[in-house]
Amino acid sequence: MPPAKKRKIADEPKVQDGAPVDERAISKSQDPQYIDKELNAERSGDSKPDLGLVDKNQERKERFKALQARAQKSAHKNLKEAAAESQRLATDPNLLSSLSRKQAFASHNLLKADTAAAGEDFERKRAWDWTVDESEKWDKRMEKKEKHREDVAFQDYTQDARKIYKRQLRELKPDMEGYEKEKAAAVQKAALNGGLEIIETEGGELVAVDTNGTFYSTADSTDFIENKPEKAAVDRLVNDLRMAEEVRLRKRRDRGKGDDDGDVTFINDKNKQFNQKLARFYNKYTAEIRDSFERGTMI
C-alpha cells in the first residue's frame, strides 16, 4: 500500500477579502490545547453572561413571586369565607328572628311598665318618636290591614267578585308604550279630518280641542267596536279565562261537587260520609226499590 501523501502548505501569506491574515492567530485557533481551554472556560462559566437572559430570568422570578402572593391571598380569603358560611349555616335564622321578636316584646313591656310606674301616658310618650305624617300613614296601614283581615272570609258573591276584580287590577300590566302610539295616531288622524284643533296656550303647551264633539267618547259613542286588538292581547285574554275556569273547577272538586258525583244527597261532609257508609252495606238490598221509585212503577 503506498504511503499517504503529505498536504502541501504554501509559503505565501494568506489573503482574506484582500487583507493579509495572521498565521499565528490561525495556528492558535487550531491548537488542541487552546480549544480545550475555551471549552473549559464556557463550562465553568468564565464566559461573559448575556444581559438579556438575566433580565428575563429576573422578570420571571418577580412574576412567580406575584403569583405565589395572589394564590396565598386567595386561599386565605376562601378559608375566611368558608368559615363565615359554616357559621351562618350553623345558626338557625328562625331562632334569631324569634329571639329578636322576644327582645322587642320585652323592651316594649319594660318601657310600658316604667311609664306606668312614673305616672305618664304610654301612648303619648311613644308618639314622641314619630312625626304626624308617619303616625297617619301607620294608622291607615293598620286600618287597611284590619279590613283585609275581615274581608278574607266569604260574605256574598258580590263581595267575592269585587275581590277578584281588585286582584286582576293589581296583576294588570298595561302597555303604555302602545297606548301612547295609538293615542298619537288617533289625535293626528282627527286633526287631519278637522275634528280636533291644536291650540297653543300662553305657557307654550299644545292642547287638542274637540271642535264638533266627535273625538272624545261619550255614552252614545260606538267607535270602540272598530278597535282591533293585537293577537298577543287576545291570547292573553284567552289564557286568563282558561286559568279562571281551571280555578273554578278545582275549587268545585275541593268542595266535593265534581261533575262525576251525580245527585247531591248530603248537606255537609259528615252527612256525605254517613250516606256512603250506608250505601256500602245496604245498596244491594235497596237498589231495586230505588230504581222502581225513579221509573215510577213503585206500587
Side-chain angles (χ1 to χ4, degrees):
M1 186 174 181
K5 295 181 179 180
K6 294 183 179 180
R7 183 177 297 176
K8 185 179 180 181
I9 300 174
D11 297 335
E12 293 83 11
K14 297 179 178 63
V15 180
Q16 185 178 1
D17 296 336
V21 180
D22 190 1
E23 296 181 0
R24 291 178 298 177
I26 295 175
S27 60
K28 184 179 180 182
S29 62
Q30 293 177 355
D31 189 2
Q33 296 181 358
Y34 178 80
I35 295 175
D36 294 338
K37 185 177 180 181
E38 290 291 331
L39 291 175
N40 293 332
E42 290 180 0
R43 292 173 183 174
S44 61
D46 294 340
S47 60
K48 186 177 181 181
D50 191 0
L51 296 179
L53 184 61
V54 173
D55 294 340
K56 289 183 180 180
N57 292 335
Q58 186 67 23
E59 183 181 357
R60 289 176 181 175
K61 289 181 181 179
E62 292 177 356
R63 289 176 59 187
F64 182 69
K65 289 182 180 179
L67 290 175
Q68 283 183 333
R70 183 188 296 180
Q72 186 177 3
K73 185 178 179 181
S74 299
H76 181 69
K77 186 177 180 180
N78 292 339
L79 181 62
K80 187 176 180 181
E81 290 181 357
E85 182 71 13
S86 177
Q87 184 178 1
R88 185 184 66 82
L89 293 176
T91 305
D92 189 5
N94 296 328
L95 181 61
L96 291 178
S97 61
S98 178
L99 291 176
S100 301
R101 194 182 307 109
K102 290 180 180 179
Q103 183 180 3
F105 278 118
S107 301
H108 177 80
N109 294 332
L110 181 61
L111 179 60
K112 189 174 183 179
D114 294 342
T115 306
E120 299 176 353
D121 188 3
F122 174 70
E123 295 295 335
R124 182 172 180 272
K125 186 175 182 180
R126 190 177 63 170
W128 291 349
D129 299 333
W130 308 93
T131 62
V132 177
D133 294 338
E134 292 174 346
S135 179
E136 290 179 353
K137 289 180 180 179
W138 178 259
D139 293 339
K140 289 181 180 179
R141 181 181 177 184
M142 291 294 102
E143 183 179 0
K144 185 177 180 181
K145 189 174 182 180
E146 186 67 24
K147 288 183 178 179
H148 180 71
R149 187 181 296 111
E150 296 175 356
D151 198 22
V152 171
F154 177 80
Q155 299 178 7
D156 51 27
Y157 289 103
T158 304
Q159 185 74 0
D160 193 48
R162 185 185 66 84
K163 290 193 298 184
I164 294 175
Y165 174 71
K166 291 181 68 175
R167 185 183 69 247
Q168 290 176 349
L169 283 182
R170 289 194 300 268
E171 296 176 356
L172 181 63
K173 297 179 180 179
D175 186 9
M176 298 303 299
E177 184 178 357
Y179 167 74
E180 293 294 339
K181 291 182 179 179
E182 292 183 2
K183 180 181 177 181
V187 170
Q188 185 178 2
K189 182 179 179 181
L192 293 176
N193 295 334
L196 283 180
E197 184 179 357
I198 308 298
I199 300 176
E200 184 177 359
T201 60
E202 296 180 357
E205 184 180 1
L206 297 178
V207 179
V209 179
D210 192 1
T211 56
N212 52 9
T214 59
F215 179 74
Y216 293 103
S217 300
T218 60
D220 301 329
S221 301
T222 58
D223 294 338
F224 63 90
I225 62 176
E226 299 178 359
N227 183 31
K228 295 181 180 180
E230 298 179 355
K231 186 179 183 301
V234 176
D235 294 341
R236 186 168 61 250
L237 176 61
V238 172
N239 189 24
D240 292 342
L241 293 176
R242 186 184 297 110
M243 291 178 61
E245 184 68 14
E246 291 177 357
V247 171
R248 186 184 69 82
L249 294 177
R250 185 174 67 251
K251 289 184 177 180
R252 183 181 178 87
R253 288 193 299 269
D254 294 342
R255 290 195 301 266
K257 296 180 180 180
D259 296 335
D260 55 348
D261 288 342
D263 297 334
V264 179
T265 60
F266 52 88
I267 58 176
N268 52 31
D269 292 338
K270 289 293 182 181
N271 183 237
K272 179 182 178 181
Q273 294 175 5
F274 182 75
N275 292 344
Q276 290 175 351
K277 186 181 295 184
L278 289 177
R280 285 198 300 270
F281 291 100
Y282 297 104
N283 265 1
K284 58 183 178 181
Y285 304 112
T286 61
E288 185 178 355
I289 300 173
R290 191 166 52 251
D291 294 340
S292 299
F293 269 117
E294 292 178 357
R295 290 194 306 266
T297 59
M298 185 66 182
I299 299 176

